[in-house]
Each structure stands twice: as structure tokens, then as C-alpha cells.
Amino acid sequence: MKKIISNILTGVVGVAASTVLWGCVAENPFESEGTGIVQLRTVVNSITTRADEGGDQSLEDKCVVYISGKQGLLYKKQGLDNVDDQISLKAGSYVAEAWTGDSVTASFDKKFYRGYQPFDVTKGGISNVVLNCRIANVVASVNTSTINPVLMKDDYKITIRNSRGELTFTKDNAIDAKAYFMMPNGDDKLEYTIEGTRKDGDPFTKTGVIENVERAHHYILNFEYNPDDPQNPSTGAVFIKINIKDEVITNDNITVFSRPTLTGVDFDIEKQLNFVDDDNIPEVVSVQICGDKLDDIELTLGCCTWKVVLNLDTSNDDKLSGKRPLNFGNLKSEDPLIEFCKNHGLEYIAPVYDPETKVETAYLNFSRDIFTRLLRNAEEHVFSIRVTDAHGQETVGHLRIARDQDAVVIEDPIEFDQVDQNDWKKITSGSATLDFSLADNIEGVPGVEYSVADEDDWTFVPVNTRSSVKGMVPKKASKKYSVTIDGLKAGTEYKYRACCGDFHSSQIMKFKTFSKFVIPNGNMEQWASVNGVGGQNGIRLPSRTGNLDFWGNGNPGAKKASTVLTDESSDMFRSGSKSARLESKFANIAGLGKFAAGNLFAGEYVKTDGTDGVLSFGQPFEAFAEDKNVDLHPTALRVFVNYRPKVGVNKRGASSGYIAEGQLDKAQIYVALTTAPIEIRTKKTNQKLFNKDDKEVLAYGQATLESDYGPDGQLQELVIPIEYFDSSVQPTHLVIVCSASIYGDFFSGGEGSTMYLDDFELIYE
């Protein structure tokens, strides 16, 4: 007999949480060909979830599982309970990813986990992938045992921050608290400030930086002292020294186990097996059982008794009397009843443990003789199998057999597949493409009926495959087609069913259209003075939170020249009471000046390199989407604009290579969809500017304003179509860049060129 193999896709959420996503591939133990699929079993035992994670959802509910290949994102599911049992993949190279937890800038209790694992699929083969998910936070804490109470009072405050957020330790929380940080792109350091009082009453302040911080590392602040040093004790510069202990996080594991699985070998156990024709009965019908520490495996009979099923004359064995359930899991391997059942056509193969996959696999094999001797009557014969594991999780499956034509369940002549809710190629914010199977001969026009889920206002959409054919026959649908429904509402759940003539399927399925991505603070109503890079204060940004947010601009670089390039304005607006005002200026720093364009972009100002900037263009959809089930394929960007350009002036923005002396400035707004943020460097020695032909850019659109735009004192609509270079790949980041001077990257333009912007919106059509 061929070795029984249990192959799985396993996810282990490690460090502070560990999740096992497992399932076993039904491989025929009787030399049948492998199916070459990846299976995920995702029903989890929630009682093993960490209680201290808090929140409304457990780690397994929050977990998002991805599979991607060279075509881009191929599979996405949120919630381990929603991951499909089977995923068929063509031969090739893939990547499995998982995310779970809470992606919060800075928190004492919210943690985030990430896993990434490449794997290959071969034709006819089965992949066994272990996806290790590790904590994605940078963690910091204070070793309070090193704080000397003889030298320091307990009124200390220890603040640790990155460029987006900060957390403060005091005597009330420092003993046990840990700070969890999500590091923004380009930020690889933590800054700390210690404020307190020496025992002699002198205040002190100590600042420092932890450089090159990494995910899944714990940075512990340890205090050292020189209490006798008389030099300037109030600064703490000599009084305190901080040693940083860097620890790789490897402990604090838990495991979440999946429910047992029941799988038909070479058949779908969810469907009836039709054995009206004896020639079609196989030698063996095998049911595979997988689980973690299988316990009970109970077989219950339906309409027949053990005497009929096993062809017994009489049975004095109480375990085989009538229809009494038979629990193989309670039988010892040497129990004679196991051999007795095998000799009468029912073979039980006890669980075999695979240390690599950590799964036990058992089989129940039904011989051909069992089905041939079942009475020919108009009843369906049912074998119920109940499996329980050591964690108390239970799965029940049914092997259904028809031995008479009247007992055969007639398959629908048209069958719609359940559309994958996360299949962005089939579901958008306004349409859905549904796959279906159609029988060879049907009567009537086949199609789909759909309605909003909580209504019964059904709309019929015919399929475009053929005209009506007379002579309907009770034959299972087989040929594959698809139909597209347009004009749907975004973020709305719909139900649908197959129909053809007078036939309406009793099977009703559902899908939900993707929501439209709402650009955060796109109406430019919320502004704040925030802490920028390098500890700068008072940086003006369109921010909802008072921290760095979706929007960035060049104000951190202009801060050194006490200049503001971009700010809120109530001079003109389209809605609300504010807009963004971008003005190009000549910034003078210590007698040295550079032309700087008024600008606004989706992304971050990372740092200042001399008098030049390092920027990150692009913000992740997922981090800013109000609804995580969001459509990432807009067709255009709409914004309301007023622009008044100025001419270039010698040595203050004019350049023979870009804007010549006396030449009118130009403005530009562009939008892009990318697979990663784009780093921008304006310094000439290592300059890197945005290029729409970069491999990360999947779609792009731009508008160049070469003269006045919009009436005086009013904003005018501007729609920028988005052209897709590659629509087969799922974008992850949205880039929006607005500049009052198109050649601002080259420090060229018209001083005083001004652009007002309001009501940014993505269009889906």
C-alpha cells in the first residue's frame, strides 16, 4: 500500500501567538494519482487564544492570509474560519503571507504579527508549507531594577518615540509595561527622553537614540550612574548613562488548532454517490480523516443495519447490533472487531502521526461488496461519520449512497459557483463576475437572479451562451461559463441563485461588492501642527490626529528657513470651510537659498539631507481603508483646483534647463497605483525621482496645468484618468503628488505660483 501522506499548509503564529492552519490532502492509499492541491483547514479552537490580546476579535479572526505568485495577489481571506478547504494552484513559485493583530503606531498592549514564506508547487505534486508568523513590532521597555532609589526620586518620566508616536513610562507602569511600535518606512530609530529629579533635588534630563532598530527585537533601557560627578548635574549628561540591551524575541508561544477534516478520496463527500449501475462501483470508497490527536471516530448507519451492511448471519457482538454506532477510536489496535469488520468489507486504518505536519491521518475504507449487496430500494443510504479530537473539536460528515434511480438526487441543470469574496478580479465596487456550469440540453434561457441580500427584489440577467434549447434532461451541469452583473452598489451584500425557465435553484449564495477607497482627509478640513522628523515642532500638515498621517508635504524641509510651503486656507474651498494652499517660495537659509515648490503628497517626509529632502511617496490602502474589503482599481482621480502660476525670476527659480527667465511656471498633479512606496531623493549627488516606468508602478495618470486654472476665487473640477500598465497585479499603495511648480524637484519654477486643492476623490466606473 502506498504510504499515506498528510500534506498541509501550516501557519504557526509565533512569538506571542502561534496559529496552526492545517488540513490534509485526500490522497488515495490505493495508488491513485495525486491531486496537486494545497489545502487549508481554518476552523480554530478559540479557547486557546490569548486572553490578554483584548479587543473584539481574536488573533485568528483578525488574521489575513495571502497567496501570491508572478501574476500578483491570487488569494486573500480574513479570518482563519473563512480560509477555503482547498486551493488549486498551477505549477510555479508562490509566496504565502499572514498578518494578524493590531497595526498601531505605538501601544502598550496592541501587537502585530507577520509571516512570509515562498514555496513551489509542482504538477501533480502536493505542497507542504510552514508559514512562521513573528511579531512585527519593535519592542522597548525599562529595566526598573537598575533605577537606584538612593540617587533618583520616583517622579521620573521616560518617553520613547518614533517619528509617528510616543509612549511614556512612569513608576506606575514601568515595572511590567512594554512599548510596541510599528516603524514607518525609512524610520529605523527610537528616541528616548528621561526626565526626573535627583535625591538632592536637582532636576535632570537625559536624551538618546537607539539606532538601527529591527522587528521582533526587544530594546531594554538599563540605567548606570556616576553620582559623584560634580559637572552640571541638572543636565543628567554625566549623572546617568543608558545601556541598551537588544534581545531577539523568541518566546511566549501559543497554538491554535484546527478542527478535524473529513475528505472523500477522489470524490466530493458533500455530494451523493450514484451507484445505480453496478459497473460504476469502485473496488474501494475511501474517506480520509485528519486532525490533531484524533480521539473518537464514530460510524453511524442510516436506513440499514450492521447485519445488512456487513452481510452477517447473526451477530452476538453487542457493538454490531442493529444500527448502534461503532466507535473505532475506542477500539485497541489489537481488538478482534477491527479485523472482523475488515474481513466483511469495512477497513479501519488507525491514525498515523506525521511529525513534519503535526497531523494524524486515519482512513475508513468501504469495499465494493458493501455497496453491491445493499438493497435496491428508493431510499438513500447514509453513513454518518463523527470525529472528535483531543481538544474537544468535532466534525460530522455523511457518505451518501444511491442504489436506485428513484433515490438519485438530480443535479441542477445550471449551477453557479460560490464566488470568492476576496477575488478582486471577479468582484469590484460596482460589478461581479459569476462562474457557472450548464448542462448540455436545457429548456428555457439560463441565467442568474440577484437581489440585495436583505430584500427579495430579484433581477434576472441572462447568460450570453446560447438561445433556448428544448428538451430539458435531468443531467448534471458540466460546461463552464460566466456572467457579469454591472451597476451594483459599492460595499453592499447581494444574494444570487441560478435560474432557467421555471427552474429556480434552492441554493442561494452571497457576495459583497468592494467598498470604494475614501481618501483620508480628502476634503482638507483637518489640519494640525505636528512633530516632524528630527524632533521639529509645528510642522503644518493636513492631519486628523495631530500625528503624521496620510498626507505629507515639504514643510519639514522648509522649516529650517522658517518657511511654510503648504497650509490650510479659507480663501476659497469647494466644500466645508477649508482647502489646501500650496505656494512655491524661495527659501533662504543662512544666506544660501533654494527654490522650493509648494507641494502636497500621499506619503511621508522621511528626513532632510543637508538642504535636500528624502521622501516616501505612497500610502498603503489597507492601513487607511475604512472598510478592509476595498476596491483597489479606481479609474480616475477627481480633485477641485485653482491655480495661478508666476514667471521664473533669475536666481530665484529660473533655470535655462527647466523654467527660463520670464517663462510662466506650470503645475502638475499625478496619481499612481503601486506595489510599494517609492523613495524620492532630491539631492543632486544621489537624486532619485518618481518614474512611472518603475517596476512598482502598475497604473498612472497625470494632469499638467500650463496657465490659470479655475475662475478667480473659485475651484474647478479636474478629473485625471488612470491608465493601467498591468491590471493582473493587485496594487497595495496609492500615490498622489501635487506640486505648484512642475520642476520643483529641480529647484526651478515661478516664485509665488499658488495652487488651491480640495475634495480629493477616487472614481470607480
Side-chain angles (χ1 to χ4, degrees):
M1 180 178 295
K2 187 175 180 181
K3 180 181 178 182
I4 300 172
I5 302 175
S6 302
N7 285 279
I8 60 173
L9 175 58
T10 303
V12 181
V13 175
V15 183
S18 152
T19 303
V20 175
L21 303 178
W22 64 265
C24 56
V25 171
E27 185 182 3
N28 192 335
F30 303 99
E31 303 298 337
S32 71
E33 185 179 357
T35 58
I37 60 174
V38 176
Q39 287 199 149
L40 296 169
R41 283 305 293 173
T42 59
V43 181
V44 297
N45 178 6
S46 60
I47 64 173
T48 63
T49 305
R50 289 182 58 88
D52 63 355
E53 289 297 334
D56 298 329
Q57 290 181 298
S58 62
L59 286 172
E60 58 269 33
D61 291 333
K62 295 177 181 178
C63 188
V64 183
V65 177
Y66 305 84
I67 297 178
S68 57
K70 64 181 181 179
Q71 306 93 334
L73 182 64
L74 302 174
Y75 184 85
K76 176 184 175 182
K77 287 289 185 178
Q78 178 170 354
L80 301 187
D81 197 40
N82 297 321
V83 179
D84 294 298
D85 296 348
Q86 296 184 349
I87 303 172
S88 298
L89 296 173
K90 296 180 180 179
S93 297
Y94 300 88
V95 169
E97 294 185 75
W99 303 75
T100 189
D102 296 285
S103 181
V104 179
T105 297
S107 173
F108 280 120
D109 57 2
K110 302 297 184 183
K111 307 172 190 177
F112 193 62
Y113 306 93
R114 182 191 182 194
Y116 179 93
Q117 182 60 52
F119 67 97
D120 293 320
V121 173
T122 58
K123 184 177 181 179
I126 301 173
S127 298
N128 177 27
V129 179
V130 177
L131 178 61
N132 293 306
C133 291
R134 298 180 176 87
I135 192 167
N137 300 99
V138 171
V139 185
S141 67
V142 178
N143 184 358
T144 56
S145 67
T146 64
I147 298 177
N148 191 337
V150 176
L151 304 175
M152 282 176 54
K153 293 185 178 181
D154 62 3
D155 61 349
Y156 60 82
K157 290 198 306 180
I158 303 168
T159 302
I160 303 177
R161 65 180 67 85
N162 63 14
S163 62
R164 280 192 172 179
E166 62 182 37
L167 295 169
T168 299
F169 295 84
T170 66
K171 68 173 183 176
D172 297 325
N173 68 352
I175 294 178
D176 300 317
K178 290 184 176 64
Y180 298 92
F181 292 94
M182 291 299 294
M183 304 301 293
N185 292 325
D187 190 355
D188 63 351
K189 64 183 179 182
L190 292 176
E191 300 175 354
Y192 60 85
T193 301
I194 304 169
E195 302 172 89
T197 309
R198 292 170 50 134
K199 277 296 185 179
D200 59 13
D202 286 336
F204 69 88
T205 300
K206 173 71 175 179
T207 61
V209 178
I210 309 173
E211 302 280 1
N212 301 317
V213 297
E214 299 179 65
R215 291 175 177 171
H217 281 244
H218 181 192
Y219 299 92
I220 306 171
L221 278 65
N222 293 280
F223 283 64
E224 293 183 3
Y225 302 87
N226 184 4
D228 299 325
D229 196 302
Q231 298 181 19
N232 196 17
S234 64
T235 66
V238 180
F239 170 59
I240 291 178
K241 179 181 179 182
I242 299 297
N243 283 332
I244 304 297
K245 183 178 181 182
D246 179 357
E247 294 182 346
V248 179
I249 303 174
T250 59
N251 56 4
D252 195 11
N253 299 333
I254 66 111
T255 303
V256 183
F257 296 99
S258 297
R259 193 181 301 273
T261 63
L262 289 168
T263 309
V265 177
D266 292 336
F267 73 95
D268 186 350
I269 199 170
E270 299 296 325
K271 296 184 178 181
Q272 184 188 68
L273 289 174
N274 306 140
F275 294 146
V276 176
D277 186 348
D278 288 352
D279 292 337
N280 293 331
I281 303 177
E283 291 297 324
V284 174
V285 172
S286 182
V287 177
Q288 186 188 63
I289 304 164
C290 292
D292 180 79
K293 299 178 182 177
L294 295 175
D295 194 354
D296 293 341
I297 301 177
E298 183 181 83
L299 181 63
T300 302
L301 303 180
C303 60
C304 299
T305 64
W306 288 110
K307 179 179 179 181
V308 174
V309 171
L310 299 181
N311 195 27
L312 306 178
D313 293 332
T314 59
S315 176
N316 295 324
D317 193 326
D318 185 55
K319 295 176 181 177
L320 292 176
S321 60
K323 298 181 182 179
R324 182 172 182 174
L326 176 57
N327 194 331
F328 287 99
N330 291 338
L331 301 178
K332 301 291 185 181
S333 59
E334 65 276 8
D335 194 305
L337 184 58
I338 293 178
E339 187 67 21
F340 179 83
C341 289
K342 180 179 179 181
N343 292 335
H344 287 77
L346 177 60
E347 180 181 20
Y348 169 64
I349 300 179
V352 175
Y353 179 75
D354 186 331
E356 182 178 3
T357 62
K358 300 179 177 62
V359 171
E360 284 187 328
T361 304
Y363 285 89
L364 281 175
N365 298 322
F366 300 80
S367 72
R368 187 175 191 272
D369 292 340
I370 287 180
F371 302 124
T372 55
R373 63 176 165 250
L374 287 177
L375 296 176
R376 290 184 178 274
N377 53 44
E379 293 183 75
E380 181 184 53
H381 302 282
V382 180
F383 297 87
S384 297
I385 305 169
R386 183 181 64 84
V387 183
T388 307
D389 64 17
H391 307 286
Q393 300 176 118
E394 180 180 281
T395 298
V396 177
H398 304 284
L399 178 62
R400 300 162 47 220
I401 309 295
R403 289 287 289 130
D404 185 270
Q405 182 65 55
D406 292 337
V408 172
V409 176
I410 304 299
E411 299 284 358
D412 291 344
I414 178 171
E415 295 178 335
F416 275 92
D417 299 336
Q418 175 64 62
V419 65
D420 182 352
Q421 179 58 57
N422 295 295
D423 189 343
W424 54 272
K425 294 181 180 180
K426 294 187 179 297
I427 298 180
T428 71
S429 58
S431 67
T433 298
L434 308 175
D435 296 325
F436 64 95
S437 300
L438 195 62
D440 285 338
N441 295 299
I442 57 174
E443 184 175 359
V445 178
V448 59
E449 286 184 327
Y450 72 95
S451 170
V452 174
D454 57 357
E455 301 176 2
D456 285 315
D457 184 15
W458 294 93
T459 300
F460 174 71
V461 178
V463 301
N464 299 319
T465 57
R466 66 183 76 185
S467 58
S468 175
V469 179
K470 295 183 178 180
M472 179 176 174
V473 295
K475 184 174 181 179
K476 176 182 165 75
S478 59
K479 294 186 178 181
K480 293 288 186 180
Y481 302 93
S482 65
V483 62
T484 298
I485 305 173
D486 294 312
L488 302 177
K489 298 178 182 178
T492 303
E493 187 176 45
Y494 289 88
K495 58 187 177 182
Y496 65 101
R497 64 188 179 188
C499 55
C500 181
D502 294 332
F503 165 75
H504 295 270
S505 176
S506 60
Q507 183 181 18
I508 297 178
M509 293 165 285
K510 293 182 179 181
F511 66 85
K512 185 178 180 180
T513 53
F514 286 107
S515 62
K516 297 179 180 180
F517 182 77
V518 178
I519 298 174
N521 199 17
N523 59 9
M524 295 291 123
E525 289 298 300
Q526 297 167 306
W527 290 77
S529 296
V530 307
N531 296 329
V533 295
Q536 292 177 318
N537 296 320
I539 303 299
R540 295 297 294 165
L541 284 176
S543 172
R544 298 174 296 175
T545 62
N547 292 316
L548 297 179
D549 210 330
F550 182 83
W551 296 102
N553 58 34
N555 285 342
K559 179 72 173 179
K560 289 187 176 182
S562 301
T563 298
V564 176
L565 302 173
T566 301
D567 205 347
E568 64 181 289
S569 175
S570 58
D571 294 343
M572 63 182 82
F573 47 85
R574 191 252 178 177
S575 66
S577 61
K578 300 175 184 177
S579 64
R581 183 180 187 274
L582 288 57
E583 182 180 356
S584 298
K585 297 180 180 181
F586 186 80
N588 199 323
I589 305 175
L592 299 175
K594 279 191 175 183
F595 177 85
N599 61 83
L600 180 69
F601 55 87
E604 302 174 30
Y605 187 102
V606 178
K607 64 180 180 180
T608 301
D609 184 4
T611 59
D612 298 278
V614 178
L615 316 176
S616 176
F617 283 177
Q619 291 285 21
F621 281 101
E622 188 166 83
F624 291 94
E626 297 176 359
D627 181 349
K628 298 305 179 184
N629 196 41
V630 64
D631 191 341
L632 304 181
H633 292 81
T635 57
L637 172 69
R638 175 189 287 125
V639 61
F640 289 80
V641 184
N642 181 284
Y643 179 58
R644 294 296 182 266
K646 300 295 183 180
V647 298
V649 179
N650 188 31
K651 297 183 179 180
R652 299 180 70 85
S655 168
S656 60
Y658 301 100
I659 298 294
E661 175 83 11
Q663 184 179 351
L664 195 64
D665 201 357
K666 303 176 183 178
Q668 188 176 76
I669 302 173
Y670 64 84
V671 56
L673 306 176
T674 69
T675 57
I678 308 296
E679 185 183 61
I680 304 297
R681 298 188 296 270
T682 62
K683 196 169 187 176
K684 289 184 178 180
T685 55
N686 64 342
Q687 194 174 61
K688 183 182 184 301
L689 304 179
F690 183 87
N691 187 343
K692 67 182 181 66
D693 295 323
D694 284 345
K695 64 179 181 180
E696 296 89 355
V697 180
L698 304 177
Y700 179 79
Q702 73 173 44
T704 301
L705 308 180
E706 300 184 1
S707 59
D708 289 0
Y709 190 87
D712 289 341
Q714 297 181 37
L715 286 83
Q716 181 174 318
E717 181 185 47
L718 176 63
V719 176
I720 305 173
I722 299 175
E723 177 187 359
Y724 282 81
F725 310 138
D726 188 348
S727 59
S728 66
V729 179
Q730 182 83 317
T732 60
H733 287 69
L734 172 64
V735 174
I736 301 174
V737 179
C738 311
S739 177
S741 298
I742 188 172
Y743 298 116
D745 292 337
F746 303 98
F747 313 106
S748 182
E751 185 177 7
S753 294
T754 304
M755 181 161 58
Y756 292 83
L757 301 168
D758 199 8
D759 287 351
F760 288 86
E761 178 189 5
L762 292 177
I763 298 174
Y764 295 83
E765 292 180 353

